[in-house]
Structures are given as structure tokens and as C-alpha cells.
Amino acid sequence: MTDRIEKTVDLAAPVERVWRAVTDHQEFGQWFKVRLDQPFAAGTLSTGMMTYPGYEHVPWKARVVRMDAPHVFAFEWPQMDEADETIDEEAWILVEFRLEPTPGGTRLTIVESGFDALPEGKGALAMRRNEPGWEEQTGNIKAHVEG
């Protein structure tokens, strides 16, 4: 099984603008559609609630593992159970946002990895569920920073 989902999008915005959209908890919440309770800080827990229509009952929980301005932001987050009702505390995976300057702005690469380490059956389920979400999120951040 492939252990990762990877999405790359070229954004017509400078790296500093994209960094702010990814790491400022209020801006992140606007395009990712989540209401976060506190700013992101390396080594801390981030909590909140999703605001994406149909998923307002889903809690947000993540451990920020890396903030290397303005190039790498990473957190681990748990997967939800099959019914999207509760957090599965055994199923944490890594999400990395990598920013590179380009002549036209910024290349943003989002990598979600660690599916193979999840308990049996949960990795494949998480990949099937998350793949379309990341496709949508790359479009959301593009609209957010270029709008």
C-alpha cells in the first residue's frame, strides 16, 4: 500500500503570504473550514471544531510537531472512526506543508503520511477518505491566497 497522499499546487502568492495562510490559526480556519481554539505552536495541541458543511459535529485535534518558518509546517492528527463520530486515538498520521519559492509565487506541497503504521484496516480506510479532501483543500488555499 502507498503510505502517503501528496498534493502539489503552484500559488500566485509570495511564500510569506502562503506561510501565514498555513500557520495563522484564524487564516488556516478560513480555508480549511475549522474553528481553532488557539494559535499553532510547535509542541502543543491544537483543538477546535470543523465548520465544513456536514462535518460541524467533527472535532479538530492535532499535535503541532514542526514550524520552520517559512518553509515547513507539520502536525499529527488522529483519524475519525468509520462513522465520523469519535476520534480514534490509535490512528495518528503526519501532515506536512512544504513551501518553496517559484518565479510566479510559491509551490505548496502537502504530504499526509504514516498510513501503513495505522492498525490493520484503518490505513486503507483513512487514505480513501482523505484523498478527495486534500484535493479540495489545495483548491481552497489557492482561492484563499490568490483571492
Side-chain angles (χ1 to χ4, degrees):
M1 178 172 91
T2 300
D3 190 43
R4 62 195 289 143
I5 296 170
E6 184 169 330
K7 302 291 180 188
T8 299
V9 59
D10 288 327
L11 305 168
V15 168
E16 293 75 17
R17 173 69 188 101
V18 177
W19 178 255
R20 190 173 70 239
V22 170
T23 60
D24 178 280
H25 75 292
Q26 292 179 334
E27 280 207 39
F28 183 90
Q30 290 173 20
W31 64 267
F32 199 89
K33 302 192 183 337
V34 60
R35 187 186 65 252
L36 297 174
D37 299 329
Q38 61 284 116
F40 291 123
T44 66
L45 188 65
S46 171
T47 58
M49 291 297 293
M50 297 301 297
T51 59
Y52 190 89
Y55 291 88
E56 295 92 343
H57 65 285
V58 175
W60 163 275
K61 185 176 182 181
R63 295 186 293 240
V64 178
V65 296
R66 187 171 173 193
M67 291 183 78
D68 295 338
H71 300 291
V72 180
F73 173 60
F75 59 78
E76 297 173 318
W77 64 349
Q79 299 304 292
M80 298 299 291
D81 67 4
E82 289 186 41
D84 272 340
E85 296 294 330
T86 61
I87 289 175
D88 184 343
E89 293 290 345
E90 295 181 346
W92 289 72
I93 53 180
L94 180 67
V95 176
E96 296 176 283
F97 295 82
R98 296 188 172 275
L99 290 67
E100 303 169 55
T102 64
T106 304
R107 176 162 295 142
L108 173 65
T109 301
I110 304 169
V111 177
E112 185 174 34
S113 62
F115 295 98
D116 288 349
L118 297 181
E120 187 172 338
K122 293 183 179 181
L125 173 66
M127 283 192 73
R128 277 195 312 274
R129 291 169 48 162
N130 294 3
E131 172 79 32
W134 286 117
E135 189 67 36
E136 185 168 339
Q137 294 296 5
T138 56
N140 289 348
I141 194 169
K142 185 173 182 68
H144 182 80
V145 299
E146 293 179 356

